[in-house]
Amino acid sequence: IFPYDGKVKDFILQNLSTANPRISYTDIGCASGSLVLSLAPFFSKSTGIDLDSSLISLANTKIKQGTADMQSSIVFFCKNMLSLSKITPPENESLITCMGNTIPHLILKDEALSFFTQVKKLLLKTAFLFSKFLTMIELLPGTLYNFLL
């Protein structure tokens, strides 16, 4: 649905803090893992999660076709984004991305609050969450705007 765009990787890398140790990276709603694979060389460990098992299978196939370093430093899980805190320890993530049409799946206010609370707890103090909020505003006109206020 959302083809890989190298400009996203470039934007993220340009905007990461130089103070950020780039230890661990997680992409939520990773689909077939293209963004994870493109950013993995810049982190010690990279993780992708998605609810679609067929997309996770495709992502794992891409890893098998990669180098030994890639195979040992990247993992993909078929998980719900609301179980993020069960995948990685607190204050461990240098970067979390959530692109495409992922966050709009959080329909209830409590789900969104749970998700963003987990993200905050998982990020290092100098870390970032990069997300595509424009999609949410387009899909939920008024609703998201009121939630964010």
Side-chain angles (χ1 to χ4, degrees), residues 24-28 30 36 45-49 73-77 87-88 93 97:
S24 185
Y25 158 58
T26 297
D27 185 25
I28 302 160
C30 67
V36 174
K45 179 185 172 219
S46 298
T47 303
I49 67 168
S73 66
I74 303 172
V75 292
F76 290 102
F77 296 104
I87 297 168
T88 185
E93 297 297 306
T97 56

Side-chain angles (χ1 to χ4, degrees), residues 3-119:
Y4 171 72
D5 182 355
K7 292 177 187 175
V8 173
K9 176 191 99 171
D10 295 340
F11 176 81
I12 289 169
L13 291 175
Q14 288 170 3
N15 288 284
L16 277 179
S17 167
T18 54
N20 189 327
R22 298 189 185 189
I23 298 166
S24 185
Y25 158 58
T26 297
D27 185 25
I28 302 160
C30 67
S32 64
S34 296
L35 184 59
V36 174
L37 294 168
S38 72
L39 287 170
F42 302 95
F43 296 89
S44 301
K45 179 185 172 219
S46 298
T47 303
I49 67 168
D50 201 288
L51 267 179
D52 189 325
S53 61
S54 62
L55 290 173
I56 292 298
S57 179
L58 179 57
N60 282 318
T61 299
K62 290 178 182 180
I63 291 177
K64 290 175 188 170
Q65 297 169 350
T67 64
D69 283 345
M70 180 186 290
Q71 293 174 17
S72 66
S73 66
I74 303 172
V75 292
F76 290 102
F77 296 104
C78 185
K79 296 278 185 188
N80 185 311
M81 63 196 287
L82 294 175
S83 63
L84 185 59
S85 62
K86 296 175 184 174
I87 297 168
T88 185
E91 294 188 24
N92 185 63
E93 297 297 306
S94 305
L95 172 68
I96 295 176
T97 56
C98 190
M99 309 307 273
N101 190 25
T102 305
I103 292 178
H105 290 283
L106 301 172
I107 307 277
L108 303 174
K109 190 174 182 178
D110 289 346
E111 291 175 334
L113 182 60
S114 171
F115 170 72
F116 286 110
T117 300
Q118 288 181 65
V119 167

